[in-house]
Amino acid sequence: MRVPISWLGEWTDLPEDVTLEHLHAALVKVGLEEEDTHGFALTGPIVVGQVISAEPEPQSNGKTINWCQVDVGEAEPRGIVCGAHNFGPGDKVVVTLPGAVLPGPFPIAARKTYGHVSDGMIASARELGMGDEHDGILRLAELGLDPEVGTDAIALLGLDDAAVEVNVTPDRGYAFSIRGIAREYSHSTGAAFRDPAAAVQAAPVSGYPLAITDDAPIRGRQGCTVFSVRVVRGIDPSRPTPPWMASRLRLAGIRSISLAVDISNYVMLELGVPNHSYDLAKVDEGGLIVRRAKPGEQLETLDGKVRTLDPADLVVADARRPLGLGGVMGGAYSELSDDTTDVLIEAAIWDPVSVARTVRRHKLPSEAAKRNERGVDPRVAELATARVAQLLVELAGGTLDELGVLYDASTPLPAVRLPLDRPAAIVGVPYTRDEVVGTLAMIGATVELDGDVATVTPPSWRPDLVDDVSLIEEIARITGYDRIPAELPIAPAGRGLTRAQRARRRVAQTLAAAGSTEVLAYPFVSDAVAERYEPGAASVRLANALDQQVSLLRRTLLPGLVETAHRNLSRGLTDLALFEIGTVFLPEAGVEYGTDFIPVGAERPGDDTLERLGAGIPPQSRHVGGLFLGDVVPKQPGEAPVAAGLPDALDAVRQVGLALGLDIRVAQGSHPALHPGRTAELRVGETVVGVAGELLPAVALESDLPRVVAVYELDLDALIELSDVDRHATPIGTLPAATQDLSLVVDAAVPAGDVRDAVAEGAGELLEHIRLVDDYRGQGVAEGSKSLTFALRFRAADRTLTAAEATEAKLAGLARAAERFGATLRE
């Protein structure tokens, strides 16, 4: 919300030397957030001048300039060169004299041009920062002004004003108005507050036909509870917007369009009530109808787009067609034009949920919707139409008609019981009884006391005050957050991270300590990418995706890791070791996910509500994935670089297993996006928990990556379920170990990991460690067979093993491998 100083000063007392810094500090004190400052960025001398003469002089370049003599209130007129031609002798204009600085910055100085010394500049509205249009020189008569020559033009045009911008939190929609900001400034500083709504007199109206129908209310709430209509006839559409109004609107971030439209916007900003003006001649004589849209009905909105309406959209219509989207934006058919003389003014109170859904459905944010979504004061809708009518009479020459209507089905906000000692107990500040009651009265609430309990009725503009906690928050805000003591809470005993949280943190710390960098990728993929990594698998498609080209939720972390690698590689990072711990979405085939059910935001959801929401969410699992490319050991003096590859991915998998106390086994596997023969299936026991391998060269090429890119992905939730994350370290053996090697010949198709498991099982408890050290196929080994050599380490906890005991255990392992796979001892 942008707040011009002069406008704010109408409704609250500001210091004479008020600064933008002071306003920001005062508003931040009551919970608003400082954003920015705005002004017209010009300095004088800039004065009113009157053209005495304007002599056209053709130039050799084909351009004709005017050599002007301009009276600026000095003893002698000034000679000024001007290239515009929309003015003449007698016109009063704005003259920027040497020493002035215009927005840009553009300093003005006397300079020689076209054979003359131009002693200043005659300015256009755009050069003064008053607008983006440039129709030539600004003639003051077009603004309805006839000031004295030499008058300060900056003050005359309201260009000496400035504005502060604050961010308004969603629960405080009343602060999207000068009325609300003035009230907040009053709360902060104690300055007097004058309610602009109280300054409006609403004359009685009657006779205008209006029908309110709502055959599809949301959560049983009627879509429109207040509707006010007034009529002003005989306005002069050619009258200009007064400079003071145009400058305030521009500082507030709204472009000046025409007087009648500017008045509508001005009242919306002043009172916080969106309103809309229709060309009365274009509205059916049968009056207005508020209803839900008909299926397939279309409306061209003021932004020039034709929209197909949804049956849940509220519209303002007449008997022939919809005229606007209720609470969001009016329609082009009935908008005000240069021929409009009779104006129908409307202001209404709309259901915030209905407005919010319409905005998102049509992707149509607006200043009106921004306020209606957050809640508008129902007591001020009638006053808003009266204020618009008043300004149309005063500024546009219109005549107020008695025709109109007021429909009001609103109900007062419910009262809230507040024990007077509860604020102190919740906030930790010893608020007195008078402070509590006085603060609630200050924000506009009605307080009735019954002993030590107050019954508080919130003011009509504060629909966010729904319970005792929200009232207590107001007490803390108004009396000052600086009074709240800074004390760290003491955590109750027995609380901390869950088992799964500890496990995930341990995995992340282990991978980071090993040299990988954690990344966070977007969980969205395109149809082509989803098909590349998991052909034919069911995926969840988002109904309202940020980007329609990537509208599927990921089933795997690999696409995000590849995209992250591509982005980093394009920025010159050629050696990468990445990992991500994130959620993947694994819908069941044939199941429809998602829901139109949206619970009430201000109420605690019950079990039924949570169950309905949960039914619309697909199964989700946390995975951990990683990627390696480039060199894991860079080139250095005396040593060649070591390229990253599948062994690095498998080592990262081993580290994850160690972090969780699991032995993750590797077996030959396959994957649509990974290289055949360079893909490993990862298992814990008989459970498949992931995959590792090198990307297919075609996949790497598509993402402009090197030919060798190693990746892995593990189902972290499954690993945690299988793990003993809380296990203690195994004591280090102090007695000597006995080491032996075992070379076995088996069929080439038998996985080495299965043979290792059989040997370990047969060797028994004395076997402390087993590792495959050689896989030989060639001379001395029969065709179709392979020789596997294992390094074995034996140790006993209570004695020193003899060589015979170690050999006996080794041969037991050989026997088990022979039994299971037909293994023989290599000669």
Side-chain angles (χ1 to χ4, degrees):
M1 174 70 189
R2 296 184 181 185
V3 187
I5 294 177
S6 64
W7 204 350
L8 182 65
E10 281 190 21
W11 306 112
T12 188
D13 293 337
L14 300 178
E16 291 186 4
D17 57 348
V18 63
T19 63
L20 298 174
E21 292 75 14
H22 164 78
L23 290 180
H24 262 149
L27 296 175
V28 167
K29 182 180 176 182
V30 287
L32 297 170
E33 298 176 6
E34 177 180 342
E35 286 288 329
D36 204 350
T37 60
H38 303 273
F40 288 99
L42 46 72
T43 58
I46 301 176
V47 300
V48 173
Q50 186 168 29
V51 179
I52 299 174
S53 64
E55 300 296 333
E57 294 183 0
Q59 304 297 310
S60 59
N61 62 2
K63 182 178 180 179
T64 298
I65 60 98
N66 288 308
W67 171 239
C68 306
Q69 297 297 313
V70 185
D71 180 9
V72 293
E74 299 173 340
E76 298 292 333
R78 292 191 179 234
I80 298 175
V81 173
C82 184
H85 303 281
N86 66 320
F87 67 99
D91 282 336
K92 290 186 176 179
V93 294
V94 176
V95 181
T96 58
L97 301 178
V101 178
L102 297 180
F106 179 57
I108 303 299
R111 63 189 184 95
K112 187 172 183 179
T113 180
Y114 293 110
H116 301 282
V117 175
S118 184
D119 198 15
M121 187 180 80
I122 305 174
S124 68
R126 186 170 65 181
E127 289 164 339
L128 294 170
M130 296 174 60
D132 299 326
E133 298 180 0
H134 193 343
D135 297 325
I137 295 303
L138 174 64
R139 297 167 59 241
L140 295 177
E142 294 177 347
L143 301 181
L145 300 175
D146 186 20
E148 292 291 328
V149 172
T151 300
D152 180 3
I154 294 179
L156 175 72
L157 299 175
L159 304 180
D160 55 349
D161 205 355
V164 295
E165 183 176 358
V166 292
N167 183 36
V168 178
T169 54
D171 60 328
R172 297 168 66 187
Y174 68 93
F176 273 115
S177 66
I178 300 298
R179 181 192 187 212
I181 295 294
R183 181 180 281 109
E184 290 299 297
Y185 179 83
S186 173
H187 294 339
S188 175
T189 64
F193 168 65
R194 297 174 291 277
D195 191 346
V200 181
Q201 297 296 321
V205 292
S206 62
Y208 190 80
L210 172 70
I212 306 287
T213 63
D214 187 359
D215 53 4
I218 297 176
R219 305 193 314 273
R221 293 172 51 174
Q222 188 173 342
C224 178
T225 54
V226 177
F227 202 93
S228 174
V229 171
R230 290 181 186 274
V231 172
V232 174
R233 299 185 186 273
I235 70 166
D236 182 355
S238 66
R239 287 198 183 184
T241 300
W244 59 266
M245 180 179 285
S247 68
R248 287 180 176 180
L249 289 174
R250 186 164 183 81
L251 283 174
I254 293 183
R255 181 172 59 93
S256 177
I257 298 174
S258 66
L259 178 57
V261 175
D262 290 350
I263 287 173
S264 177
N265 287 329
Y266 188 85
V267 173
M268 176 185 69
L269 293 174
E270 184 174 70
L271 298 180
V273 181
N275 60 88
H276 187 67
S277 295
Y278 304 82
D279 187 333
L280 182 61
K282 296 179 181 179
V283 179
D284 186 82
E285 293 181 356
L288 294 178
I289 306 167
V290 177
R291 58 171 172 81
R292 298 285 171 174
K294 300 174 184 177
E297 200 167 26
Q298 291 189 324
L299 170 69
E300 181 182 356
T301 46
L302 288 174
D303 59 358
K305 295 183 179 180
V306 177
R307 304 178 186 276
T308 299
L309 304 182
D310 187 275
D313 291 330
L314 273 169
V315 297
V316 180
D318 60 13
R320 297 173 293 181
R321 60 175 63 84
L323 302 175
L325 275 172
V328 180
M329 186 176 287
Y333 171 75
S334 58
E335 70 175 318
L336 304 183
S337 67
D338 293 341
D339 300 323
T340 300
T341 57
D342 298 337
V343 179
L344 184 148
I345 310 156
E346 163 255 302
I349 303 300
W350 307 95
D351 177 32
V353 174
S354 179
V355 171
R357 290 184 176 182
T358 296
V359 168
R360 285 150 184 76
R361 188 179 295 119
H362 296 285
K363 298 180 176 62
L364 185 60
S366 67
E367 289 293 325
K370 184 192 300 183
R371 290 160 174 80
N372 285 318
E373 282 183 277
R374 290 161 173 79
V376 174
D377 187 352
R379 303 277 76 82
V380 183
E382 180 187 17
L383 300 177
T385 59
R387 176 64 167 152
V388 173
Q390 173 193 345
L391 291 173
L392 286 174
V393 170
E394 292 178 1
L395 303 178
T399 302
L400 182 63
D401 197 298
E402 294 182 356
L403 185 63
V405 69
L406 174 62
Y407 167 82
D408 189 348
S410 63
T411 56
L413 295 173
V416 178
R417 292 183 74 257
L418 177 67
L420 295 178
D421 59 350
R422 184 160 168 75
I426 294 295
V427 182
V429 175
Y431 298 117
T432 66
R433 179 189 183 97
D434 290 343
E435 274 186 305
V436 172
V437 174
T439 302
L440 294 174
M442 181 187 297
I443 66 172
T446 302
V447 183
E448 297 179 2
L449 297 178
D450 182 8
D452 292 331
V453 177
T455 300
V456 183
T457 302
S460 57
W461 59 87
R462 294 300 303 271
D464 58 304
L465 302 180
V466 296
D467 52 24
D468 57 349
V469 175
S470 55
L471 293 176
I472 292 170
E473 182 182 4
E474 283 298 286
I475 294 168
R477 182 176 71 89
I478 298 300
T479 58
Y481 292 127
D482 55 334
R483 293 181 58 184
I484 301 175
E487 297 179 3
L488 291 176
I490 300 174
R495 297 192 181 182
L497 299 178
T498 65
R499 177 179 180 275
Q501 288 171 331
R502 291 198 306 274
R504 289 195 292 270
R505 183 168 294 186
R506 184 179 299 177
V507 169
Q509 291 171 342
T510 299
L511 292 174
S516 290
T517 300
E518 186 171 11
V519 298
L520 184 64
Y522 287 113
F524 314 117
V525 296
S526 66
D527 291 68
V529 168
E531 187 67 16
R532 162 67 80 181
Y533 284 86
E534 294 194 35
S539 295
V540 177
R541 186 177 301 278
L542 297 174
N544 188 21
L546 295 173
D547 183 348
Q548 292 300 327
Q549 293 183 345
V550 284
S551 61
L552 298 180
L553 289 175
R554 66 186 179 189
R555 293 181 55 92
T556 168
L557 301 180
L558 297 183
L561 289 166
V562 169
E563 176 60 29
T564 302
H566 166 77
R567 187 180 303 111
N568 282 273
L569 192 64
S570 69
R571 287 158 174 76
L573 300 177
T574 57
D575 304 325
L576 296 174
L578 310 175
F579 79 94
E580 179 181 7
I581 295 177
T583 302
V584 297
F585 306 85
L586 306 172
E588 298 178 18
V591 178
E592 193 75 23
Y593 295 97
T595 178
D596 291 331
F597 170 67
I598 299 178
V600 180
E603 298 177 4
R604 185 183 185 91
D607 293 340
D608 291 344
T609 298
L610 294 176
E611 185 177 349
R612 287 186 65 184
L613 291 174
I617 300 174
Q620 301 174 32
S621 178
R622 282 188 177 88
H623 283 198
V624 57
L627 177 146
F628 297 87
L629 63 78
D631 294 333
V632 290
V633 177
K635 181 180 180 181
Q636 48 195 301
E639 187 171 345
V642 178
L646 179 57
D648 300 288
L650 294 177
D651 187 57
V653 169
R654 181 184 64 82
Q655 292 164 359
V656 172
L658 290 174
L660 297 176
L662 293 172
D663 183 13
I664 301 178
R665 303 299 177 89
V666 178
Q668 185 70 40
S670 63
H671 189 280
L674 302 184
H675 199 300
R678 302 290 290 172
T679 301
E681 184 180 79
L682 308 174
R683 298 178 181 174
V684 174
E686 297 301 319
T687 304
V688 177
V689 294
V691 67
E694 294 178 1
L695 287 180
L696 280 171
V699 175
L701 181 63
E702 288 173 1
S703 298
D704 300 318
L705 298 181
R707 181 179 181 83
V708 177
V709 180
V711 296
Y712 67 91
E713 183 170 7
L714 292 162
D715 185 337
L716 188 53
D717 283 350
L719 290 175
I720 294 172
E721 195 69 29
L722 295 167
S723 73
D724 181 12
V725 74
D726 296 319
R727 73 174 184 169
H728 298 289
T730 302
I732 298 175
T734 58
L735 296 173
T739 59
Q740 295 196 18
D741 289 344
L742 177 64
S743 295
L744 302 176
V745 177
V746 297
D747 189 276
V750 177
D754 292 348
V755 177
R756 180 193 61 182
D757 292 346
V759 172
E761 182 182 324
E765 295 181 355
L766 292 180
L767 181 65
E768 182 180 74
H769 180 72
I770 180 171
R771 179 167 59 92
L772 177 68
V773 295
D774 187 39
D775 182 337
Y776 175 74
R777 311 176 196 210
Q779 186 176 0
V781 177
E783 186 176 350
S785 299
K786 61 184 176 182
S787 171
L788 302 176
T789 300
F790 298 96
L792 310 177
R793 185 169 71 236
F794 299 95
R795 193 191 309 266
D798 57 348
R799 68 190 187 280
T800 300
L801 288 179
T802 65
E805 288 178 305
T807 301
E808 182 181 353
K810 179 181 74 171
L811 293 177
L814 169 62
R816 182 60 55 86
E819 175 188 344
R820 190 168 295 173
F821 302 110
T824 59
L825 188 65
R826 183 179 176 189
E827 298 295 336

